[in-house]
Amino acid sequence: MNLLFGYILIINFVIFAALKFIIIIIKRITKIIPYMAEKLTKRAENYSQWYNELVVKADLAENSAVRGSMVIKPYGYSIWEKVQAALDKMFKDTGHSNAYFPLFIPKSFFSKEASHVDGFAKECAVVTHYRLKKDENSGEIIVDPEAKLEEELIVRPTSETIIWNTYKNWIQSYRDLPILINQWANVVRWEMRTRLFLRTAEFLWQEGHTAHATKQEAIEETERMINVYADFVENWMAVPVIKGYKSENERFAGALETYAIETLMQDGKALQAGTSHFLGQNFAKAFDVKFTDKTGSLDHVWATSWGVSTRLIGALIMAHSDDNGLVLPPKLAPIHVVIVPIYKGDDQLQQIDEKVLPIKKKLEEKGISVKYDNRDTHKPGWKFAEYELKGVPVRIAIGPRDIENNTLEIARRDTLQKEIKSQEGIEDYIEGLLDDIQKNIYQKALNFRTENTFKVDTYEEFKDIIENKGGFVMAHWDGTPETEQKIKEETKATIRVIPLDAVEEEGKCIYSGNPSKKRVIFAKAY
Amino acid sequence: MNLLFGYILIINFVIFAALKFIIIIIKRITKIIPYMAEKLTKRAENYSQWYNELVVKADLAENSAVRGSMVIKPYGYSIWEKVQAALDKMFKDTGHSNAYFPLFIPKSFFSKEASHVDGFAKECAVVTHYRLKKDENSGEIIVDPEAKLEEELIVRPTSETIIWNTYKNWIQSYRDLPILINQWANVVRWEMRTRLFLRTAEFLWQEGHTAHATKQEAIEETERMINVYADFVENWMAVPVIKGYKSENERFAGALETYAIETLMQDGKALQAGTSHFLGQNFAKAFDVKFTDKTGSLDHVWATSWGVSTRLIGALIMAHSDDNGLVLPPKLAPIHVVIVPIYKGDDQLQQIDEKVLPIKKKLEEKGISVKYDNRDTHKPGWKFAEYELKGVPVRIAIGPRDIENNTLEIARRDTLQKEIKSQEGIEDYIEGLLDDIQKNIYQKALNFRTENTFKVDTYEEFKDIIENKGGFVMAHWDGTPETEQKIKEETKATIRVIPLDAVEEEGKCIYSGNPSKKRVIFAKAY
């Protein structure tokens, strides 16, 4: 009896211990689930869904209650602030000043430059009234029909017309030229199919608008600014570009020549990252802007305009990020280094705090931005996943063993490699590592582009690559808009750019067989 | 005969010399005329016209072709950039992040907070259509009647509604709080009588929108931000402020309490420079934003909002400038020092260039921005007038005698005083001088305010001062909106603020004779 009782006791004890163990495991799983469940769709599964999820999960942006307009969240906006700061300095270093022109453009201004209005009329938000009132019958807020504008106002989709109407009063003589102005602003284009950062009804951008005394000077400015953009996208965003000019079909509405930088995304689709337009005298003629040159004769002023937008953030995400989340180039990352303590109990945390704070200070003295995440509400594993998702370039973990050994665990986001380093001189090491990461990300994107750029000489091959592989396809084209249009209809591929550095060679158009002197870049595009 | 001939010769010579002298004088006058002719209206003659002229002549801003909207020109915009940089740092130092919310707000959002819609309905730009098209009969560009929006969109006059509709999805628990967000943006309020910087249909501003778990925390935030504004306006703009809260009549539409900083302009009118609103739970209730607190119970979230705008530039101009043009505080001046060479011929200019360039470099190393204006198209006198007009705090003139004596002529814009200083250590002297000017401008404005602040105990005296002197009038008020309204109707003066540091004292309302515990600040206001 006693034996049996003892036996039952033991069994009970074992069962109890097992249950307790199972409960612990369940608890752990439950804690992991929140970030397991939110795991990103993989790029290979559904690239488009991966992108949409990543933008939201990494707290960059989200759709708003207003059709097609996004909310740019603080983390996403802080990347935009870095983009703005770098570009703004480049613009000022090349002699430009900022100014601000009205959001609204009178409808009649649009009609003045014919191809311009054709390009933008289909996607304009139009202000027709200037007052709301309470409906006397229903008590509802309605648009006051008596407050109708005499002339409708267009919410700017771009500002050439309002700016050239203003320049008219600023320019009389060659001494008033050049005018080199940039504007940081919001613009609205009523896109039907929108996508966070890539295509939204409202977006943020900068638009440069310059006025020159000679054609030559205006062309030089157009080229200068496409080079500034290329410099920024390659050296800050770490995305390689192809510089070129656009075919007639793809030109800006109102431009004589559009220069563009074209980038390649990981799904093999192209993304236009920036454009610089030589506008000739089109807007000066439309708005009657003339100047007296040095010889005393009157001529119309020469113009350029150039812009990049929050779309760049879309390019940044799609060029580098992986199945774990964002990968940000250090030069644009809001946080360079996150430090995560691994500890049990307040004593250990305090020990770690004492080690971390001087390291943080030394890093910050080098201009490196550091976040020390010692919150006790989240486990290290959760934090690791979180900062990987947010693309923080370097993670430092420090636990009791590191305290003993005077070491740190350094993980780089781009390769996900980890290594143990001495705490001695860690600030110099991290500084160098950030440079390495910036270069490595660029090199990786460049390798990807090289591997996904194809020279093609037959239309069959062309269709096969466009349909099955994607990427940039270098092919001969007969130079006609009709051929480009046909290829587009049949394959959805367009001419992205006619590269500035295209090699002269004899060839035949892949579509018409007509002679061609150089290859152009085709791709499906965002 | 010989004597007569000699006499005639002498007379001819004298006449010739006199003529030559007259010609020189005429030439000088002709050269002066261009800027003489453009001379500013004097403040004493017509303050309002002086302001309007100054804004345009100093190249700060101008009216645009769009009713009520201004063009902010590069020089004016560069002041705004300095304002932005300083404030943005202050916001970040107090824990805020920037983000961006949509320009358009669905009409239905406005109706959700009753007093809010009452406040803004009368001045809203309304988007009703999203497409233009070519009219088939006339060939003109018209609004496409088929592209009518189902729900009209309001161009934001302020963003509480769209932001609180967004916060609804961001806030579940106390762990999601506080949210401390700021937005730099353009807003539109359809004002009927507009004035450059002070009141325009579209203006640039920042709007902070914060969400808190407790009433106490929200009130602390409201007070923190009015203090940030006061700090900025006093220490950067050099304009003294009175901090206080608004009477019910003057409160923001939707706020429980509005804190404001009030400034006094040189014509004795008050200008509200910034406001910070304690919104209570009004917007959380309107948009159903609830959170679970630490005890597990549900409550509505507490809110604040706060903003300053390009109006600050109007205050800056009106507080300090004089009959010669702008006077800018060094901390916000786009150019701190202008150097003007006084020379004849290229040799002298070259000598001066050699002296100036190292001085410029030394100043720039101290973070002082320097413009060396060695253009040969304008005379020194023209340049002096031009930089006085533009409010450059310090002017350095250097001529051949200065080269000989190793000196410079230093002129300060605030007092118009000139002095000769040795070139030795000039960079330290200028650095100190800029500090002095910053302080002096503030002190001058403070003295002006002190001289134009009046304690008044009878309505007769009150009316006399408001009508004939202007300035801040400290008077007892019975605390009712009715009395304030009557005083406003009879005198155009309103309660600017109930000062935070008002002394408790027994008194009688100047209008009703009813008891009052403290004096409030009355003034006519911009």
Side-chain angles (χ1 to χ4, degrees), chain B residues 317-329:
Chain B
I317 298 165
M318 289 210 298
H320 302 307
S321 301
D322 62 22
D323 293 345
N324 295 322
L326 284 183
V327 174
L328 293 175

Side-chain angles (χ1 to χ4, degrees), chain B residues 194-266:
Chain B
T194 61
R195 209 145 165 224
L196 292 169
F197 289 119
L198 297 176
R199 197 173 289 280
T200 48
E202 181 192 5
F203 55 92
L204 304 183
W205 81 342
Q206 61 67 220
E207 46 182 325
H209 295 273
T210 68
H212 305 268
T214 66
K215 179 179 176 180
Q216 183 56 26
E217 225 187 77
I219 290 176
E220 280 166 15
E221 169 77 4
T222 315
E223 289 174 355
R224 181 179 306 116
M225 298 323 288
I226 203 67
N227 285 323
V228 162
Y229 289 154
D231 178 9
F232 172 75
V233 174
E234 297 205 322
N235 295 314
W236 290 76
M237 289 175 53
V239 179
V241 305
I242 295 183
K243 283 185 273 188
Y245 47 98
K246 288 281 181 187
S247 61
E248 202 183 316
N249 285 359
E250 300 282 325
R251 220 175 264 157
F252 176 75
L256 297 189
E257 198 77 88
T258 287
Y259 292 74
I261 46 172
E262 209 70 20
T263 60
L264 188 62
M265 302 294 103
Q266 291 179 71

Side-chain angles (χ1 to χ4, degrees), chain B residues 35 46 59 62 95 97 130 137 155 201 235 249 289 326 340 361 372 519:
Chain B
Y35 59 91
N46 186 337
D59 270 343
E62 63 183 36
S97 304
Y130 58 86
N137 300 321
V155 182
N235 295 314
N249 285 359
V289 189
L326 284 183
V340 178
K361 188 151 171 278
Y372 178 36
R519 291 174 187 271

Side-chain angles (χ1 to χ4, degrees), chain A residues 146-165:
Chain A
E146 283 174 24
K148 193 171 186 309
L149 289 171
E150 274 182 40
E151 180 177 9
E152 297 91 346
L153 297 172
I154 312 305
V155 182
R156 64 180 162 222
T158 180
S159 301
E160 277 78 6
T161 55
I162 184 79
I163 287 180
W164 277 87
N165 186 69

Side-chain angles (χ1 to χ4, degrees), chain A residues 62 65-66 72 74 81 92 98-100 103-104 107 121 124 126-132 141 170 186 202, chain B residues 62 65-66 72 74 81 92 98-100 103-104 107 121 124 126-132 141 165 170 186 202:
Chain A
E62 64 183 36
V66 186
I72 307 180
E81 288 181 300
K92 284 174 178 159
N98 290 327
Y100 189 77
L103 171 69
F104 297 140
K107 196 191 69 184
C124 283
V126 188
V127 176
T128 56
H129 292 74
Y130 59 86
R131 195 163 61 219
L132 301 174
I141 301 297
W170 294 2
N186 54 344
E202 181 192 5
Chain B
E62 63 183 36
V66 186
I72 307 180
E81 288 181 301
K92 284 175 178 158
N98 290 326
Y100 189 77
L103 171 69
F104 297 140
K107 196 191 68 184
C124 283
V126 188
V127 176
T128 56
H129 292 73
Y130 58 86
R131 195 164 60 221
L132 300 174
I141 301 297
N165 186 69
W170 294 3
N186 53 345
E202 181 192 5

Side-chain angles (χ1 to χ4, degrees), chain A residues 245 474-479 497-509 515-522:
Chain A
Y245 47 97
M474 301 174 71
H476 280 283
W477 163 61
D478 63 17
V497 278
I498 303 159
L500 294 185
D501 61 359
V503 181
E504 290 269 328
E505 61 176 38
E506 296 298 325
K508 283 182 181 172
C509 173
S516 149
K517 293 273 182 205
K518 54 189 171 188
R519 291 174 189 271
V520 300
I521 308 278
F522 281 92

Side-chain angles (χ1 to χ4, degrees), chain A residues 80 100-101 156 159 183-187 203-207:
Chain A
W80 180 240
Y100 189 77
F101 296 86
R156 64 180 162 222
S159 301
Q183 163 170 279
W184 290 96
N186 54 344
V187 284
F203 55 92
L204 303 183
W205 81 342
Q206 59 68 220
E207 46 181 326

